[in-house]
Amino acid sequence: MTDSRLAGVRRRRVPLVRRIPIALAAVSTVAAVALSVPATNAAGDTATGQQAGARGWFTSWAGSQHDLAPTPLRDRTVRMISHLSQGGDALRIRIQNTFGTSPLTVDAATVGLTDGKSAATQGRPRPVTFGGRHEAVIPAGGELWSDATTLTTRAQGDVAVSLSVSGTVVPGRHQTAFRTNYLTGTGTGDHTGDTSAAAFTETTESTYLVTAVDVHNPRLRGSLVAYGSSVVDGVGSTDCGPGCTQLGADRRWTDDLARRITTELPPTRRLAVANAGVNGTTSAPDCPKLAEPLRGLDAGARLERDVLALHGVTGVLYYYGTNDLPAGCDAQQVLASYRDTFRRLHAAGIKVYVTPVTPRPGYTDEHNRVRHTVNSFVSKWNDCSGTCDGIMGFDQVLRDPLKPNAINPPYDTGDGVHANIAGQQALADTLSLPMLASSADR
């Protein structure tokens, strides 16, 4: 679904993210284990997710950039809250300037534990370095992973990532964070080391600059990345009923899945869960009715930066197609994008789990014909006609038994498209943990 909330900044098409050829060095050792940053090859590219996972690094949180914030940052500090699916004994962060038009200068960065309810931290934040330096300059279109920082975190814990931005820059963002993040006032400078919330006088419900957090935890088996549009992104996950909103409660189905993994799987079988949803996007490129601000954000175009560039990824939970239909793509366009994306993921050693296209009341007869073709492909042999590794039955969970084009009323936010908190939990509950855990079996 094209969401009007994403139609703010008109974006240029952005090529796959350029990495900065900078040799990153580890800065600490924990429990006699060398904590290494992503290895680089001769071209400066980071190691594959599987290689990093083999060294005990896994992406535990993610938030995909899709446009620019409406106002610039100037000599101020941002404090972004990341809700970790799994914890570890150290972490590192990714900063992106994907949609930026000028260099981004970070002159200080820290990470610290927080309860996620304010900008305050629990204890003094730890300094973060980049190639051994406290400052970094990220060119327009670039990204940078930090060095390892010793910090013990836990599953479902919150981490405050603070960045002091010098000069003036319009930051890239993930607009729908569904939580409160924090900024100091313009011109206030570096407050990355503050434990108090006092200096953080402004708030936003977007996530700026920070797009991934890795944890070092050799006991984890892998990372699962949820990949799709608004229902992955979390639209509806703050809806707890008429007149009730729970901002910052972390009730996306991916959050509920992460809690199930921690509760129901033994420590030696657990996986991290990262969310790479972007509201309004499609699987196929160039759907004729797609709004211009969403072009260039289809599943294939952002696969490298939003999935393959993450670490320790063993499985992708693919939830796309619902926007392709009203955006005017036909079945062949959708299926071509599915096949290409699944092929690229398999080439990287990543298993793929797919949901059939879920219901919505606005589907026309033609939409339903396309949906039937796509869903028949997905459901055939329970492996997308031999192109994926398993099926997530989200269409059956959400479908109203009396109205096949509508969501079951107890799960409906009221728009007929998105699941409320109860529906998010129902989606998470239907997933087979043995199936997902098998993504790490090699």
Side-chain angles (χ1 to χ4, degrees):
M1 181 187 68
T2 299
D3 193 305
S4 61
R5 286 174 291 183
L6 290 185
V9 178
R10 188 180 183 87
R11 65 173 63 78
R12 57 185 173 89
R13 287 182 182 266
V14 178
L16 294 180
V17 174
R18 295 182 283 113
R19 288 192 178 83
I20 301 171
I22 181 171
L24 301 181
V27 296
S28 59
T29 300
V30 177
V33 177
L35 300 179
S36 60
V37 296
T40 59
N41 61 25
D45 292 332
T46 57
T48 66
Q50 287 303 308
Q51 290 170 325
R55 294 193 299 273
W57 286 102
F58 300 91
T59 299
S60 184
W61 173 91
S64 303
Q65 284 191 359
H66 53 78
D67 68 359
L68 294 172
T71 56
L73 303 175
R74 182 174 64 81
D75 298 325
R76 64 198 302 191
T77 299
V78 302
R79 180 162 283 178
M80 304 289 109
I81 309 300
S82 298
H83 185 71
L84 301 182
S85 56
Q86 295 290 340
D89 55 26
L91 53 74
R92 61 193 182 195
I93 62 173
R94 181 175 70 171
I95 304 172
Q96 285 184 307
N97 195 20
T98 304
F99 294 93
T101 58
S102 61
L104 165 68
T105 300
V106 175
D107 53 19
T110 64
V111 291
L113 301 179
T114 176
D115 64 7
K117 298 177 182 178
S118 75
T121 62
Q122 299 169 340
R124 189 163 185 82
R126 305 286 180 86
V128 172
T129 58
F130 306 90
R133 299 175 63 87
H134 290 282
E135 66 283 340
V137 178
I138 306 172
E143 68 171 35
L144 184 62
W145 286 89
S146 76
D147 300 328
T149 301
T150 304
L151 184 69
T152 299
T153 54
R154 59 179 176 82
Q156 286 78 61
D158 291 316
V159 171
V161 181
S162 302
L163 307 173
S164 174
V165 177
S166 63
T168 300
V169 66
V170 181
R173 66 171 176 173
H174 183 90
Q175 186 173 350
T176 45
F178 298 109
R179 72 172 317 116
T180 302
N181 286 311
Y182 306 93
L183 306 89
T184 64
T186 297
T188 53
D190 180 9
H191 286 272
T192 57
D194 290 14
T195 59
S196 166
F200 294 89
T201 56
E202 299 182 24
T203 62
T204 176
E205 292 180 16
S206 297
T207 299
Y208 292 166
L209 303 176
V210 184
T211 61
V213 177
D214 283 1
V215 297
H216 181 262
N217 184 344
R219 300 186 74 184
L220 295 177
R221 295 297 306 281
S223 289
L224 302 171
V225 180
Y227 195 47
S229 53
S230 56
V231 181
V232 174
D233 200 1
V235 175
S237 64
T238 61
D239 184 338
C240 46
C244 175
T245 299
Q246 291 184 0
L247 189 67
D250 303 304
R251 294 304 308 272
R252 295 174 174 88
W253 63 268
T254 52
D255 299 316
D256 294 330
L257 172 62
R259 285 186 279 269
R260 279 194 62 206
I261 288 172
T262 300
T263 301
E264 299 177 32
L265 291 181
T268 56
R269 295 288 288 170
R270 290 176 187 166
L271 304 104
V273 180
N275 190 307
V278 173
N279 192 2
T281 55
T282 56
S283 176
D286 300 323
C287 292
K289 298 179 182 179
L290 186 65
E292 184 61 29
L294 295 168
R295 295 193 180 275
L297 291 173
D298 57 272
R302 63 188 190 91
L303 186 69
E304 174 65 31
R305 67 174 179 262
D306 289 348
V307 179
L308 297 177
L310 303 181
H311 296 119
V313 179
T314 57
V316 163
L317 314 182
Y318 194 86
Y319 191 162
Y320 259 124
T322 57
N323 293 330
D324 296 66
L325 278 58
C329 269
D330 60 31
Q332 295 312 307
Q333 288 173 287
V334 176
L335 293 180
S337 71
Y338 279 24
R339 290 188 179 98
D340 181 63
T341 300
F342 302 167
R343 175 190 58 78
R344 291 169 63 188
L345 290 167
H346 282 155
I350 297 169
K351 292 188 177 180
V352 187
Y353 306 100
V354 183
T355 179
V357 180
T358 50
R360 64 197 303 175
Y363 288 150
T364 64
D365 288 348
E366 179 58 28
H367 294 156
N368 278 325
R369 279 190 285 270
V370 174
R371 181 183 176 215
H372 174 75
T373 300
V374 172
N375 286 357
S376 295
F377 167 85
V378 170
S379 299
K380 187 176 181 180
W381 306 328
N382 286 322
D383 63 2
C384 309
S385 306
T387 65
C388 72
D389 301 280
I391 305 303
M392 307 182 298
F394 287 0
D395 58 327
Q396 296 302 310
V397 175
L398 294 181
R399 183 175 64 90
D400 186 337
L402 301 180
K403 300 176 182 177
N405 272 5
I407 290 181
N408 200 10
Y411 298 156
D412 191 356
T413 60
D415 65 7
V417 177
H418 299 103
N420 57 22
I421 286 176
Q424 302 278 336
Q425 185 70 63
L427 292 176
D429 287 345
T430 197
L431 288 170
S432 166
L433 294 189
M435 178 183 76
L436 299 182
S438 72
S439 71
D441 294 338
R442 295 291 184 264

